[in-house]
Amino acid sequence: MDSIADGVFTVDHSWNITFFNRAAEEVTGISALEALGRPCWEVFRANVCETACVLRQTLETGKPVVCQPIAILRADGKEIPITVSTALLKDEEGRIIGGVETFRDLSLVEDLRREIHRQYRLDDIISKSPLMQKIFAILPDIARSDSTVLIQGESGTGKELIARALHHLSSRARGPFVAVNCGALPDTLLESELFGHVKGAFTGAVGAKVGRFELARGGSLFLDEIGDIPVSIQTKLLRALQEQEIKPLGAAKASKVDVRILASTNQNIEEKIQDKTFREDLYYRLNVVTIKTPSLQDISEDIPLLANHFSRMACSELGLSPKRFTAEALEELRRRPWPGNVRELQNLVRRVVMFSPHSVIRSLELQALEGPGNPAAPALHPWGEGSLSQIELYGQAKERIVSRFTHDYVADLLAQTGGNVTRAAELSGLGRASLQKIMRRLGIKSEGFRKEE
């Protein structure tokens, strides 16, 4: 055991360490002499020791844990990432005499991941594909000018992320970034939303409204799905671009604006020009600089990178332990068609992370959670006999989210009241006894919120 690269230690039924190999010494910074005979949580100091000990889980259920990512504190106080695997420890006659845990230092892997992340990231966009790297290379130059930019691409390809990156890289970065979805508003509201209106401009205009052009003053205005703007509004938009001035609905005179226009579309504007549904002069005014975002199928080499990124995001937002995909699962994701592009991939990854009971996500789980009507998805027990159904897993995920929200809400009430349970109950509209019951269930104590005199 001292000759292998992975750290290994064993414990007895009292959780005292009975074996500690050389790799375990190197990873933790604690010698075997110091570790032997001590409770494992004093030596290992993992971030799950008190709440979700993986070795305890194995001893209580009899089931091994494989490659669970966690973090531990070394003897020098440095936190390092590791993966752990656990199993039951038995004697020659098959009697359980304790547990065994193996662990692997992932510090080098994390350093490499951060370096890759640095190389393959621009603002909030992540990609290693040559197509996207070319876009990364030209974005800073485009951002330095104040030219209007038209971003073309299919729905879900990250057009707004490109627009935000241009804003953040520009001299207007300290100004506001204002986005408006031109296809989501009816014609009557869109004009008011863009240019604003004065009091009494139309029936129901009981007060003045500041438009998005004015809100974006000194910054950037992103017109998403510009192809959906009706011809009646295109004329006013053209004037705003040419003269850098707008006239709110009902206003007597125009006012100057200082804003950079970034626009996007998933439509063929040239065809709309032929159909007389888009002004040619407006198109040329918008199309000073064009960026075309590739579909996910065109940059399929990015799918594993994006899937792991979205998994980390989802786990962080939902308060879950980190989850990763097997190589086979990533390859299956890479081979799939993605009509919804990056947005569809992100939604699938989030769904799998929420519902999967495992830290390692395999191909079978992807198939099970792909959605209704998928013939490859078993209806009740997608991860084998005796496992939880998708509906049960959804219930568990929902319960975790609700529990976390409740915990944060109660903690905030107690923080506001300095630990005064009676006052916190009054603020929440609950009775004191009901709030105390919730606090006991969530393990919240008022003492931790009391302010020192």
Side-chain angles (χ1 to χ4, degrees), residues 2-63:
D2 277 335
S3 67
I4 65 174
D6 288 351
V8 181
F9 72 90
T10 60
V11 298
D12 58 22
H13 285 296
S14 298
W15 304 100
N16 294 321
I17 293 177
T18 55
F19 175 78
F20 207 71
N21 78 339
R22 187 173 291 119
E25 293 180 310
E26 293 172 357
V27 174
T28 63
I30 297 174
S31 69
L33 191 61
E34 294 176 273
L36 293 175
R38 291 173 61 187
C40 58
W41 59 81
E42 289 184 5
V43 175
F44 210 50
R45 298 197 293 172
N47 60 352
V48 295
C49 282
E50 296 181 2
T51 56
C53 173
V54 287
L55 193 53
R56 182 183 296 276
Q57 179 183 333
T58 293
L59 287 171
E60 290 177 350
T61 65
K63 297 180 180 179

Side-chain angles (χ1 to χ4, degrees), residues 3 13-14 32 47 80 118 123 169 178 188 191 245 249 251 286 303 332 346 356 371 387-388 390 402 428 433 441:
S3 67
H13 285 296
S14 298
N47 60 352
I80 61 170
R118 184 189 65 79
D123 205 58
L169 293 169
V178 178
T188 52
E191 185 174 1
E245 63 179 30
L249 287 172
L286 289 168
I303 291 175
E332 180 178 332
Q346 182 175 12
S356 173
S387 65
L388 296 173
Q390 186 171 334
V402 171
S428 68
R441 178 168 58 83

Side-chain angles (χ1 to χ4, degrees), residues 73-118:
L73 280 178
R74 284 174 44 89
D76 58 9
K78 180 183 178 182
E79 184 178 83
I80 61 170
I82 64 170
T83 58
V84 300
S85 300
T86 60
L88 297 173
L89 185 64
K90 300 179 181 179
D91 62 14
E92 296 86 344
E93 297 178 2
R95 292 174 298 194
I96 298 172
I97 58 172
V100 58
E101 185 167 307
T102 63
F103 54 98
R104 179 170 298 175
D105 186 354
L106 295 183
S107 298
L108 185 60
V109 175
E110 279 298 300
D111 290 343
L112 180 60
R113 185 187 68 77
R114 281 192 290 269
E115 177 60 21
I116 290 173
H117 194 261
R118 184 189 65 79

Side-chain angles (χ1 to χ4, degrees), residues 91-161:
D91 62 14
E92 296 86 344
E93 297 178 2
R95 292 174 298 194
I96 298 172
I97 58 172
V100 58
E101 185 167 307
T102 63
F103 54 98
R104 179 170 298 175
D105 186 354
L106 295 183
S107 298
L108 185 60
V109 175
E110 279 298 300
D111 290 343
L112 180 60
R113 185 187 68 77
R114 281 192 290 269
E115 177 60 21
I116 290 173
H117 194 261
R118 184 189 65 79
Q119 292 180 10
Y120 296 153
R121 184 171 192 139
L122 179 66
D123 205 58
D124 287 332
I125 313 166
I126 296 174
S127 177
K128 66 176 182 179
S129 81
L131 283 174
M132 288 300 296
Q133 288 296 314
K134 288 180 180 178
I135 294 177
F136 284 7
I138 63 173
L139 280 185
D141 292 331
I142 296 174
R144 275 193 286 271
S145 76
D146 235 12
S147 300
T148 302
V149 180
L150 180 62
I151 307 166
Q152 296 178 311
E154 297 176 10
S155 180
T157 53
K159 296 188 291 295
E160 183 170 345
L161 290 180

Side-chain angles (χ1 to χ4, degrees), residues 200-236:
F202 51 84
T203 304
V206 294
K209 176 182 175 63
V210 177
R212 300 294 180 95
F213 268 90
E214 190 62 40
L215 290 174
R217 180 178 291 275
S220 304
L221 176 62
F222 176 52
L223 302 176
D224 193 16
E225 302 307 343
I226 192 79
D228 291 325
I229 288 186
V231 176
S232 58
I233 301 177
Q234 290 176 27
T235 304
K236 291 194 70 171

Side-chain angles (χ1 to χ4, degrees), residues 180-344:
V180 56
N181 188 335
C182 301
L185 296 169
D187 300 359
T188 52
L189 290 180
L190 181 59
E191 185 174 1
S192 172
E193 197 67 31
L194 288 174
F195 307 111
H197 64 252
V198 298
K199 182 179 179 180
F202 51 84
T203 304
V206 294
K209 176 182 175 63
V210 177
R212 300 294 180 95
F213 268 90
E214 190 62 40
L215 290 174
R217 180 178 291 275
S220 304
L221 176 62
F222 176 52
L223 302 176
D224 193 16
E225 302 307 343
I226 192 79
D228 291 325
I229 288 186
V231 176
S232 58
I233 301 177
Q234 290 176 27
T235 304
K236 291 194 70 171
L237 180 58
L238 178 63
R239 179 177 177 81
L241 291 173
Q242 289 178 334
E243 308 297 333
Q244 283 289 295
E245 63 179 30
I246 60 168
K247 189 175 181 181
L249 287 172
K253 60 180 183 178
S255 59
K256 287 289 184 179
V257 290
D258 173 26
V259 62
R260 183 188 190 178
I261 299 296
L262 307 171
S264 78
T265 182
N266 62 3
Q267 302 180 50
N268 188 322
I269 299 296
E270 293 179 355
E271 287 184 1
K272 293 180 73 69
I273 293 172
Q274 295 297 321
D275 296 338
K276 307 296 184 184
T277 55
F278 202 91
R279 290 184 59 128
E280 188 173 15
D281 48 1
L282 175 59
Y283 173 60
Y284 292 136
R285 187 66 190 178
L286 289 168
N287 195 26
V288 178
V289 178
T290 301
I291 298 174
K292 294 187 177 180
T293 56
S295 69
L296 191 55
Q297 282 301 298
D298 293 333
I299 53 172
S300 59
E301 62 265 52
D302 279 346
I303 291 175
L305 186 68
L306 290 168
N308 284 318
H309 172 67
F310 293 145
S311 175
R312 287 191 294 271
M313 283 179 56
C315 288
S316 176
E317 290 171 9
L318 298 171
L320 303 174
S321 298
K323 298 186 180 185
R324 64 180 181 85
F325 293 89
T326 63
E328 293 78 8
L330 290 173
E331 178 60 23
E332 180 178 332
L333 288 175
R334 195 187 65 78
R335 291 197 308 265
R336 290 184 177 200
W338 294 100
N341 291 294
V342 178
R343 187 181 296 118
E344 182 185 357

